[in-house]
Amino acid sequence: GNSVTQMEGPVTLSEEAFLTINCTYTATGYPSLFWYVQYPGEGLQLLLKATKADDKGSNKGFEATYRKETTSFHLEKGSVQVSDSAVYFCALSDQTGANNLFFGTGTRLTVIP
Amino acid sequence: KAGVTQTPRYLIKTRGQQVTLSCSPISGHRSVSWYQQTPGQGLQFLFEYFSETQRNKGNFPGRFSGRQFSNSRSEMNVSTLELGDSALYLCASSPASEINEKLFFGSGTQLSVL
C-alpha cells in the first residue's frame, strides 16, 4: 500500500539555522511527491513537488529531491526565518487517484529569533 | 480571486446526530476533494468529486457521503456521528482532476462531537 513516514516533531530552530525534515515513502509504481505547508489558521499550501526520480522541487528557498533508490523526499532549507514557522506535510500521489494524496503526519517547525 | 471557502468554521454536535459541511471551490475549479485531519491519524482522503461525479473514495464508512452541485460547490455529510468523527475537515479544489495537479485547500471546518 501507499504510505508516507515523516520525521517526528516538533522541531525548534534558531533563525538562520539549516533545516532538514525527513520524509520516506512506500508506494506501488512511480508516485509523485509533494511538500505542503500549513501556516497557523490557514489551509494547506503546496510548497513544492517532484514528479519523477531525481527531480528537484524548489520554492521559497526550500528544496527536496526525489530519491527513488532510498524512497525519500527530504525537505531542506539553508537558512530558516521566523516566518517559516508552520506545519510541513510530505505527501504522495500514486498516479491512480489524481487528487487522492497520501499524507505524512506533519512536522511542526518553530523558528525562534 | 477568492480562495476555497468552507462553512461553517466550527461545529459542535452530539453523538448520533448528522452534520453537513459545505465547500465552495475557487471559481473555475471543477474538482473538489475532502480530507479528514486528526492528531492521531493525520490527513486522510475521504473522496473526490469532479463534474458532479464521485471519482475516488477513501477508506471511510458509508456514514460519510458527499455530493457536488452543477456550480462545483460541494457538501459532505456525516450521519450518526461518533466521538471519533471529531476532526478538522478540509476541502481542496483544483481546476481539473489531473495527476500531479496543485490542490488549493480551505481553512477547514472544525467538528467536535460530544
Side-chain angles (χ1 to χ4, degrees), chain B residues 3 14 37 39 48-49 57 60 69 75 77 79 82-83 93 95 104:
Chain B
T14 56
Q37 185 177 15
E48 181 203 357
Y49 286 86
K57 189 177 190 308
F60 278 81
F69 302 94
E75 290 181 346
N77 184 277
S79 62
E82 300 177 0
L83 296 179
S93 75
F104 294 80

Side-chain angles (χ1 to χ4, degrees), chain A residues 32 43 49 95 99-101, chain B residues 31 35 48 94 99-100 103 106:
Chain A
S32 293
K49 69 178 184 183
Q95 306 290 320
N99 287 333
N100 176 6
L101 294 180
Chain B
S31 170
Y35 288 81
E48 181 203 357
S94 61
I99 292 171
N100 304 326
L103 298 185

Side-chain angles (χ1 to χ4, degrees), chain B residues 4 12 14 17 21 25 27 38 40 42 45-46 55 57 59 61 75 80 88 94-95 102 104-106 108-109 112:
Chain B
V4 177
I12 299 175
T14 56
Q17 287 187 308
L21 313 182
S27 178
T38 59
F45 173 76
L46 280 155
R55 286 207 51 186
K57 189 177 190 308
N59 191 24
E75 290 181 346
T80 320
L88 180 66
S94 61
K102 176 179 176 180
F104 294 80
F105 282 82
T109 293
S112 297

